[in-house]
Structures are given as structure tokens and as C-alpha cells.
Amino acid sequence: MIKDKQTPPAFPEAATASSSQKADKDRNKSKKMEEAAENPHLSDKTDLAPSEDSQSLSKTEPLEKVLNEMSEEIVNLLSKYAHLVSTRAALDSSHVRELDEILKEARAIENHLKQKREMLKQRFTFLANTLQS
């Protein structure tokens, strides 16, 4: 009994599956070649097409490049967004501090005016008492 050198003896099912996959690929290739022979206008495209392995590599390389570029763009946009949000938060914070200062100033002015009104009341009361006597 001759065994596949690449597959360990403990995995004969894997060797069978692997050989059946290879046979399927060979059948697909031979079918494509037959179709190309039957349809000469399609054979130009088939002759120029690279093998399946190189096709998958050529497809994954641009895909990885596009994914990397998109990833960089997303990171860039997120950092810009984070910067805008932090800038906006700082601006909002400064507005809140400014409004707090204005409110304190308004309360101080209100208290000052209340004191003045109370002092005027006392003066008018004193003047009215002086005039009555």
C-alpha cells in the first residue's frame, strides 16, 4: 500500500479529500479548455487569464490595499471628528464658564440694587418722620 508522503498515516481521509479536490480542479481546467476550443471568441479571454492561484493573489492584493487605505481614511476621519468634538466641548465649556460669570455678576448687581432700595426706603422714612414732627 502506497501512501501520500505529505499526509501523515493518521489522516488518510484528508489525503483522500485532498486528492479529490485536485481531481475536481483538473476536471474544471479541462472543461474550460474544451469550452475555449469550442468557442474561439472566448478562447482569447481564457488564454490571457492567469491561473486560479495567481488570480486569487492578484485579487487579494488590491483588496488588501483598498482595505488598508479605507482603514487609514476611517482612522483619519475619526481623529478629525474627535478633534472637532473636543474643540466643541472646550468651546461649550468656555461658554458655560462665561455664563456662570455673567450670572454671578447679575446676582451681585441685584444684591447691590436691593441694598440701595432698602437704604432709600430708610432715608424716605427718616425724612417723612422729620417732616411730621
Side-chain angles (χ1 to χ4, degrees), residues 110-125:
E110 181 184 22
N111 286 337
H112 179 71
L113 290 174
K114 282 181 182 178
Q115 287 174 354
K116 281 203 166 219
R117 184 179 71 188
E118 196 59 39
M119 287 175 56
L120 283 173
K121 239 184 189 180
Q122 288 173 1
R123 264 182 127 180
F124 284 137
T125 305

Side-chain angles (χ1 to χ4, degrees), residues 22-71:
K22 288 179 184 176
D24 287 343
K25 284 184 180 180
D26 290 339
R27 276 189 232 116
N28 286 339
K29 284 182 184 178
S30 61
K31 282 182 185 178
K32 287 181 183 178
M33 289 170 53
E34 288 174 8
E35 290 174 4
E38 292 173 5
N39 300 323
H41 65 281
L42 294 177
S43 68
D44 294 339
K45 294 179 183 174
T46 333
D47 292 342
L48 296 175
S51 69
E52 290 179 20
D53 293 337
S54 62
Q55 274 184 341
S56 64
L57 286 176
S58 66
K59 287 180 182 177
T60 57
E61 287 175 8
L63 179 62
E64 288 176 8
K65 183 180 179 184
V66 169
L67 288 175
N68 286 337
E69 289 173 357
M70 289 178 72
S71 177

Side-chain angles (χ1 to χ4, degrees), residues 66-82:
V66 169
L67 288 175
N68 286 337
E69 289 173 357
M70 289 178 72
S71 177
E72 288 175 12
E73 185 67 23
I74 289 170
V75 167
N76 189 16
L77 289 172
L78 287 175
S79 68
K80 285 181 182 178
Y81 179 73

Side-chain angles (χ1 to χ4, degrees), residues 80-93:
K80 285 181 182 178
Y81 179 73
H83 178 67
L84 288 173
V85 168
S86 66
T87 302
R88 181 65 188 183
L91 185 63
D92 289 348
S93 172

